[in-house]
Amino acid sequence: GFQEGLSKREFQVLELVSSGSSNSQIANELGISQSTAKTHLRNIYSKTDHHNRTVLAINFLNSKT
């Protein structure tokens, strides 16, 4: 599943990405910098073997049903 191997913060970023938030919105929501948000996203891509946010979001949302 998606939660395996992701930190709590990475999972929060994943949820925000999946709800359509931009990197700047994610940064504002979590009180982090945009570059930190991007780093979390890169780590999520790496850990989940995804390469773009759309496919990542679709697969994450499908995994919850």
Side-chain angles (χ1 to χ4, degrees), residues 8-30:
K8 187 171 179 235
R9 181 61 101 194
E10 287 166 348
F11 193 73
Q12 290 172 317
V13 171
L14 174 58
E15 289 188 310
L16 289 167
V17 164
S18 298
S19 68
S21 297
S22 68
N23 287 355
S24 62
Q25 289 170 318
I26 291 167
N28 289 339
E29 179 76 24
L30 298 179

Side-chain angles (χ1 to χ4, degrees), residues 15-47:
E15 289 188 310
L16 289 167
V17 164
S18 298
S19 68
S21 297
S22 68
N23 287 355
S24 62
Q25 289 170 318
I26 291 167
N28 289 339
E29 179 76 24
L30 298 179
I32 59 179
S33 70
Q34 277 196 56
S35 66
T36 301
K38 285 180 191 164
T39 299
H40 286 314
L41 198 49
R42 272 201 306 275
N43 291 341
I44 293 164
Y45 288 155
S46 167
K47 290 179 178 183

Side-chain angles (χ1 to χ4, degrees), residues 37-59:
K38 285 180 191 164
T39 299
H40 286 314
L41 198 49
R42 272 201 306 275
N43 291 341
I44 293 164
Y45 288 155
S46 167
K47 290 179 178 183
T48 63
D49 201 28
H50 284 79
H51 307 287
N52 78 62
R53 66 199 300 135
T54 306
V55 177
L56 177 69
I58 290 167
N59 289 340

